[in-house]
Amino acid sequence: MHANLETVVLAPPYDMVDLFKSVPSPDVNVYNRSICEVTKQRLEAITNQQWESDQENAFFVGDLGEVFRQHLRWKSLLPRIEPFFAVKCNPDPMILKLLASLGCGFDCASKQEIQQVLDVGVESNRIVYANPCKQASFVRYAAQQNVSRMTFDNAEELHKIKKFYPDAELILRILTDDSQSLCQLGLKFGAPLHTVQHLLETAQQLDLNIIGVSFHVGSGCLDENAFCDAVISARNVFDQAAAMGFNFTLLDVGGGFPGADVKNGITFEKVAAVLGPVVDRLFPADIRVIAEPGRYYVASAFTICTNIIGRRSVTLPPAVEEEIEKETPEQYMYYVNDGMYGSFNCIIFDHQIVEPKVLMKNEVFTFGQDVCEPNFESSVWGPTCDSIDCLNKSTRLPKLEPGDWLYYENMGAYTVCAASQFNGFKKSEVVYTNTFC
Ligand SMILES: Cc1ncc(COP(=O)(O)O)c(C=O)c1O
């Protein structure tokens, strides 16, 4: 039996807290304050500076305590399943150090990610190279570094691996239903079940070592039952392989777990309530079970603060003006200093809807408060010269001025990792805090 969620999250085992506190951060300042206090201090510092260069750049507040809370929640609700954090989701060095200290494994998609994780001091056996189609030289690199566990979903990949890393421990990624997910990865990856026999035979002919099965129900999965169906399919593949003489020892249930920011619909608790029992029912205790959560760990841990660098009042043609409500005829376009080509690429690539909140208005700090003023039809735009660079096409905001600030919560997953520097705008920096202890 394991402790219930409240017990573990509120009073986690001492050794876990000690591990958390011991995360090395010699060269990085980590505050021990709330997100509100950290942003306030940062904005006060900016306001007090006299014409410092780049002083009003957008910035993230990254809460390591929130990542730790998510880890405790995982350990409490899915104790059998070992998390291998999907680095692609947010390769922030502090997050990697924290999760490495807590004993997590890592899902890497490339040589660069493997290198980054090894550099943090993670042993090669805590890495799964979970990209079914790999560059040949990256496979060679994995071999040099003893990163032996890697996924595949096609016969050509088996031939490549035979050539460059014949001793690799292979995980067959199968295609499962991802129709209920925001990002459907099955369009690109996953062996359809009717191809499994051929892949197993090919591996046997090549004398390759397949050790288990993986799947990904799609990122941002909205239906916990997708995990259940996928585990059943994986069980069938285990049986099919056993009949051919394979001895599978690993099940990898992939990613797709919701972040703590999800307020309705699917929750991690619902997924765990389905996934834990089905895994226990279908897989004996000697089968190792791992997962590749990304969003789950980091989505709610990052808040981004953006400065309003410009405003345009929308002047409607007289005929239209007559039609709209008399009380709120004003409409505004706000321009902020991070956008769709930067951290807000999640709007396009990750299908996210982001919600602006007022952080500072006329030098009054308003984090977490409702600004009780008339609000107006508004749109929020990023800083580049491209018109696709729009964060909110239509929202309600009080009348703000250039120099005021907005903030957006739940910006930790698939944001800065895919940000470009299009138009010369730098990636937003992270200020760290720890709201756990
Ligand atoms: C192979 C693989 N594993 C894990 C993940 C992480 O998924 P999520 O952030 O939904 O947990 C992804 C995301 O694209 C992925 O491609």
Side-chain angles (χ1 to χ4, degrees):
M1 280 295 287
H2 55 83
N4 70 28
L5 179 62
E6 278 75 29
T7 319
V8 175
V9 173
L10 296 177
Y14 282 118
D15 54 343
M16 286 255 254
V17 176
D18 286 345
L19 276 177
F20 176 52
K21 285 183 179 163
S22 69
V23 177
S25 58
D27 43 359
V28 182
N29 189 21
V30 179
Y31 296 96
N32 270 98
R33 301 188 179 172
S34 68
I35 315 279
C36 175
E37 288 164 335
V38 174
T39 41
K40 187 166 187 214
Q41 185 178 347
R42 173 93 181 197
L43 293 197
E44 279 169 357
I46 292 170
T47 313
N48 293 335
Q49 280 169 10
Q50 295 295 312
W51 307 112
E52 283 285 322
S53 73
D54 299 346
Q55 59 186 2
E56 72 277 62
N57 277 2
F59 63 95
F60 281 99
V61 181
D63 178 6
L64 302 178
E66 176 68 0
V67 178
F68 184 52
R69 273 191 290 275
Q70 287 296 85
H71 184 63
L72 295 175
R73 177 169 275 126
W74 185 286
K75 288 285 169 198
S76 165
L77 295 179
L78 286 178
R80 177 173 170 189
I81 303 181
E82 299 170 47
F84 278 54
F85 175 64
V87 176
K88 62 179 79 67
C89 181
N90 188 338
D92 181 281
M94 289 298 287
I95 301 290
L96 298 190
K97 277 186 199 167
L98 168 61
L99 293 176
S101 304
L102 294 172
C104 277
F106 294 88
D107 149 15
C108 297
S110 62
K111 174 183 175 182
Q112 172 63 30
E113 286 191 357
I114 294 174
Q115 223 163 22
Q116 204 188 343
V117 170
L118 291 173
D119 286 350
V120 174
V122 171
E123 309 78 24
S124 54
N125 65 5
R126 279 209 273 156
I127 295 175
V128 57
Y129 188 177
N131 187 337
C133 293
K134 297 168 277 298
Q135 184 171 319
S137 59
F138 290 8
V139 178
R140 276 204 307 271
Y141 175 76
Q144 283 158 10
Q145 301 298 329
N146 289 322
V147 175
S148 58
R149 263 181 250 116
M150 55 186 67
T151 61
F152 76 100
D153 66 2
N154 65 83
E156 288 78 356
E157 192 73 5
L158 287 175
H159 288 279
K160 187 194 297 164
I161 294 169
K162 175 71 185 176
K163 194 163 167 194
F164 297 111
Y165 197 177
D167 296 332
E169 298 180 292
L170 302 178
I171 304 168
L172 169 53
R173 175 154 161 192
I174 56 169
L175 179 62
T176 54
D177 180 12
D178 61 4
S179 59
Q180 303 305 311
S181 298
L182 291 179
C183 307
Q184 298 176 356
L185 307 173
L187 280 175
K188 187 171 178 187
F189 293 124
L193 296 178
H194 68 268
T195 66
V196 163
Q197 184 73 19
H198 171 63
L199 292 175
L200 295 176
E201 283 166 6
T202 307
Q204 255 174 351
Q205 284 154 13
L206 294 172
D207 195 23
L208 289 170
N209 180 20
I210 308 186
I211 61 162
V213 174
S214 75
F215 59 76
H216 197 305
V217 295
S219 194
C221 179
L222 301 171
D223 178 7
E224 64 273 21
N225 295 312
F227 284 91
C228 180
D229 295 345
V231 170
I232 293 169
S233 296
R235 176 70 255 174
N236 291 336
V237 175
F238 264 65
D239 294 341
Q240 194 176 351
M244 293 174 66
F246 284 97
N247 178 27
F248 283 4
T249 54
L250 183 96
L251 171 67
D252 176 351
V253 300
F257 302 87
D261 52 308
V262 178
K263 296 282 183 285
N264 48 30
I266 190 146
T267 61
F268 181 63
E269 282 68 19
K270 283 187 188 171
V271 173
V274 167
L275 181 60
V278 74
V279 165
D280 285 342
R281 186 161 55 82
L282 298 182
F283 290 90
D286 61 341
I287 299 296
R288 184 176 186 196
V289 188
I290 69 171
E292 303 164 1
R295 180 188 312 283
Y296 167 80
Y297 268 96
V298 288
S300 54
F302 282 62
T303 298
I304 190 167
C305 305
T306 59
N307 185 253
I308 297 180
I309 56 174
R311 185 189 75 193
R312 219 150 68 106
S313 303
V314 180
T315 314
L316 299 169
V320 180
E321 208 168 349
E322 278 166 23
E323 280 171 29
I324 63 172
E325 289 177 53
K326 288 278 182 311
E327 309 90 66
T328 56
E330 297 163 51
Q331 293 189 22
Y332 297 102
M333 295 168 72
Y334 296 104
Y335 300 81
V336 297
N337 52 357
D338 197 343
M340 187 90 103
Y341 284 95
S343 309
F344 291 90
N345 68 81
C346 59
I347 296 169
I348 287 197
F349 295 134
D350 198 31
H351 314 287
Q352 294 297 310
I353 295 167
V354 296
E355 186 195 350
K357 295 183 177 169
V358 180
L359 179 59
M360 187 178 257
K361 179 176 174 350
N362 196 18
E363 298 195 4
V364 177
F365 188 71
T366 55
F367 184 99
Q369 298 165 25
D370 282 332
V371 179
C372 296
E373 287 180 23
N375 54 43
F376 301 92
E377 175 60 28
S378 309
S379 54
V380 185
W381 302 79
T384 67
C385 296
D386 190 352
S387 62
I388 195 183
D389 192 2
C390 179
L391 279 50
N392 306 97
K393 284 196 173 64
S394 170
T395 187
R396 304 291 298 185
L397 286 169
K399 185 173 178 182
L400 300 166
E401 304 291 332
D404 289 342
W405 289 77
L406 295 174
Y407 69 105
Y408 294 78
E409 294 169 309
N410 305 314
M411 287 287 292
Y414 306 107
T415 51
V416 74
C417 56
S420 76
Q421 303 202 14
F422 186 47
N423 279 217
F425 292 102
K426 289 191 191 137
K427 295 187 186 189
S428 297
E429 284 175 13
V430 184
V431 180
Y432 298 96
T433 193
N434 164 15
T435 59
F436 186 83
C437 52

